[in-house]
Amino acid sequence: MILDGALSAGRPLPASRALAKSLGVSRDTIETAYAQLHADGFIERRVGSGSFVAEMADFGTRYRQVKRVAPVNDASHSLSKRGQAMFGGGGVHEMLHPHCFAPGVPDTRNFPLVLWERLGRQVLKEIGHDALLHGDPQGTEALRRVIADYVNLERGARATADRVLILTSSQQAMTLCANVLFDAGDRIFIEDPVYYGARRAFEAAGIERLPIRVDAQGIMVEPLLQEQRTAKAVFLTPSHQFPTGATLALERRLALIEWAAHRQTWIIEDDYDSEFHYAGKPMACVQGLDPHERTIYIGTFTKSLFPGLRIGYAVLPQSLVKPMTIARTLLDGHTASIPQLTLARFMEGGHFGAYVRMMRQIYAQRLELLTSLVRTHLAEFLEPRVPTGGLQMPCILTCDLDEQAVIAAAQRAGIALTGLSSLHALDKVKTGFLLGFAAYSPQELEAGIKKLAVVFNSLKRG
């Protein structure tokens, strides 16, 4: 370990008595080994202080071990086909400290930490050590109950506690769907453009994705109904389509429900940020309109509360509850109990609703400001497409600059841009960018747009 650099110069070594006890050998054995290391110059022994790695830069070639074979950096040849698909797709990466305009990132600076801490202490005081044990793989009953009540009241769902499955994220829910409902080679209809996390979850499972175009009213149903190839499911973000922000029209929702019932296929509804609707009233979720139990409803608290909570959920048809619950035990067993119980109290006490209402107003103001800033400083380059809700705004590139060149230049300036073309599968793509606004103060948004204006103008001159 000294030769390999794992134990650096000056590093203290364990006391001989403690090391002998740990290894189950005589202390004389340890003393003999330390004496040899000292004699060879590897360590220094200081009376009253102990043994330390010697301050020497090179211990000489006679002590070097046979040079190890360098590890192969490209391990893809040893992966399974599914492993190669997961690795090659690049995963879904969230920035730990997001630069300005990262999409899908909520504000966390306004979250009531003191209240959350107090509720967490109540959980530990009342439940005690039982909160430290393994939890129900389906999720704690208290949280499943309040989630069912919430989605029924706020989203018009048809949910009961026994049909709710608590997960760590909506991404885990999509991965479960991909692995439980599909075999490799099966097909799924997806929106085009589509959320990259969903596309990669289905791609990694070996599922063929059939893209269907999206317009101002959401996914275009006629091409899907006329498609001759069969598919096991359709993936939707009907509340705020990602990334366009379009809301799926009611007649299209009803048509998809009847199509799914007739074809015995599934509707996977990702309702990732429906809490934040700024214009008009939000439409009832597809799951609540579906009397045939063909819809899997996915929700998350990553956007409405904070990403570090790691709690999402799915409202399942009764026939899928046991298969999905058993399948999730193979992934991670169960969701942590203490955050679940704390969240249940947060919702039961009315704090969740109050927080969402406050943040909805803040986000609406930030969206309005971002729209104004883009039109003021970037009118020559971008056309904002103002969504009715969500945490990000798409902007269409109206000049002849290259989308990837802008992204690279913006990154060098400390700005995170997501290109719209990367979210498309079909041709005739309108290039542009997805600007997240929720996590940033008015001052940060203004500074970010001014930086972006400098980037665009420098590229234009170049």
Side-chain angles (χ1 to χ4, degrees), residues 169-341:
S169 63
S170 58
Q171 190 67 39
Q172 187 183 47
M174 287 182 280
T175 299
L176 267 178
C177 289
N179 287 282
V180 173
L181 303 179
F182 296 84
D183 293 312
D186 286 341
R187 302 187 186 98
I188 184 171
F189 290 115
I190 62 172
E191 300 164 323
D192 188 69
V194 70
Y195 171 56
Y196 41 79
R199 182 181 65 201
R200 289 172 183 171
F202 301 134
E203 181 182 36
I207 301 168
E208 181 182 356
R209 286 128 3 254
L210 305 178
I212 305 293
R213 290 192 189 278
V214 170
D215 62 15
Q217 299 185 71
I219 191 170
M220 300 174 69
V221 174
E222 283 303 319
L224 185 150
L225 300 179
Q226 295 170 6
E227 175 61 60
Q228 297 299 310
R229 290 171 292 180
T230 59
K232 279 195 171 181
V234 58
F235 173 79
L236 304 172
T237 51
S239 180
H240 305 132
Q241 200 278 331
F242 189 94
T244 66
T247 298
L248 184 61
L250 178 60
E251 59 269 24
R252 295 188 181 184
R253 295 177 186 231
L254 298 176
L256 286 170
I257 288 169
E258 292 308 311
W259 167 82
H262 178 71
R263 296 286 186 91
Q264 288 295 286
T265 60
W266 300 106
I267 298 172
I268 302 174
E269 178 181 13
D270 184 7
D271 207 25
Y272 61 100
D273 68 357
S274 62
E275 290 85 2
F276 303 116
H277 199 82
Y278 315 125
K281 293 184 178 180
M283 194 177 297
C285 65
V286 174
Q287 193 269 357
L289 298 171
D290 179 8
H292 312 295
E293 291 203 17
R294 303 301 305 175
T295 302
I296 299 164
Y297 178 90
I298 298 172
T300 178
F301 293 97
T302 293
K303 314 299 184 187
S304 56
L305 292 180
F306 54 94
L309 181 57
R310 308 313 301 147
I311 294 181
Y313 59 92
V315 180
L316 302 169
Q318 196 66 56
S319 62
L320 292 181
V321 173
K322 285 188 176 180
M324 287 284 199
T325 301
I326 291 173
R328 78 78 44 93
T329 66
L330 299 175
L331 297 180
D332 63 353
H334 64 97
T335 305
S337 299
I338 296 174
Q340 288 187 72
L341 295 167

Side-chain angles (χ1 to χ4, degrees), residues 6-64:
L7 294 178
S8 57
R11 176 82 175 267
L13 299 177
S16 59
R17 190 185 304 276
L19 185 56
K21 185 176 181 180
S22 173
L23 297 178
V25 298
S26 166
R27 187 183 178 191
D28 289 342
T29 302
I30 301 299
E31 284 293 340
T32 301
Y34 275 12
Q36 185 65 48
L37 288 169
H38 181 244
D40 290 340
F42 286 102
I43 69 173
E44 297 173 352
R45 309 200 75 180
R46 305 169 192 168
V47 177
S49 297
S51 301
F52 301 82
V53 178
E55 298 281 352
M56 294 180 65
D58 186 1
F59 290 103
T61 56
R62 68 189 182 95
Y63 294 113
R64 295 292 181 189

Side-chain angles (χ1 to χ4, degrees), residues 11 38 74 76 104 106 120 151 157 181 188 206 215 268 273 287 344-345 385 400 405 413 433 439 449 451 461:
R11 176 82 175 267
H38 181 244
D74 182 13
S76 59
V151 295
L181 303 179
I188 184 171
D215 62 15
I268 302 174
D273 68 357
Q287 193 269 357
R345 293 187 178 222
R385 297 289 175 86
D400 59 358
F433 312 98
I449 287 296
K451 275 188 180 181
R461 290 192 299 270

Side-chain angles (χ1 to χ4, degrees), residues 119-129 131-132 338 345:
L119 295 175
R121 288 199 306 269
Q122 288 179 7
V123 166
L124 290 174
K125 183 177 180 180
E126 295 179 21
I127 300 177
H129 289 86
L132 309 181
I338 296 174
R345 293 187 178 222

Side-chain angles (χ1 to χ4, degrees), residues 61-212:
T61 56
R62 68 189 182 95
Y63 294 113
R64 295 292 181 189
Q65 296 175 345
V66 177
K67 189 174 181 180
R68 293 173 180 162
V69 178
V72 179
N73 290 325
D74 182 13
S76 59
H77 67 281
S78 63
L79 301 178
S80 67
K81 290 182 179 179
R82 179 165 293 181
Q84 291 175 9
M86 295 171 71
F87 177 66
V92 180
H93 299 287
E94 304 290 351
M95 285 177 284
L96 296 180
H97 302 287
H99 296 295
C100 202
F101 306 127
V105 181
D107 185 293
T108 57
R109 288 173 284 194
N110 285 286
F111 187 77
L113 281 175
V114 174
L115 171 61
W116 185 265
E117 182 184 14
R118 175 164 58 82
L119 295 175
R121 288 199 306 269
Q122 288 179 7
V123 166
L124 290 174
K125 183 177 180 180
E126 295 179 21
I127 300 177
H129 289 86
D130 287 346
L132 309 181
L133 300 173
H134 285 284
D136 184 340
Q138 192 176 341
T140 63
E141 197 276 336
L143 182 56
R144 289 189 282 113
R145 184 181 65 251
V146 294
I147 287 176
D149 291 343
Y150 167 73
V151 295
N152 290 341
L153 181 64
E154 298 292 337
R155 301 297 300 123
R158 304 184 185 199
T160 53
D162 64 313
R163 292 173 56 187
V164 175
L165 174 62
I166 306 297
L167 301 164
T168 57
S169 63
S170 58
Q171 190 67 39
Q172 187 183 47
M174 287 182 280
T175 299
L176 267 178
C177 289
N179 287 282
V180 173
L181 303 179
F182 296 84
D183 293 312
D186 286 341
R187 302 187 186 98
I188 184 171
F189 290 115
I190 62 172
E191 300 164 323
D192 188 69
V194 70
Y195 171 56
Y196 41 79
R199 182 181 65 201
R200 289 172 183 171
F202 301 134
E203 181 182 36
I207 301 168
E208 181 182 356
R209 286 128 3 254
L210 305 178
I212 305 293

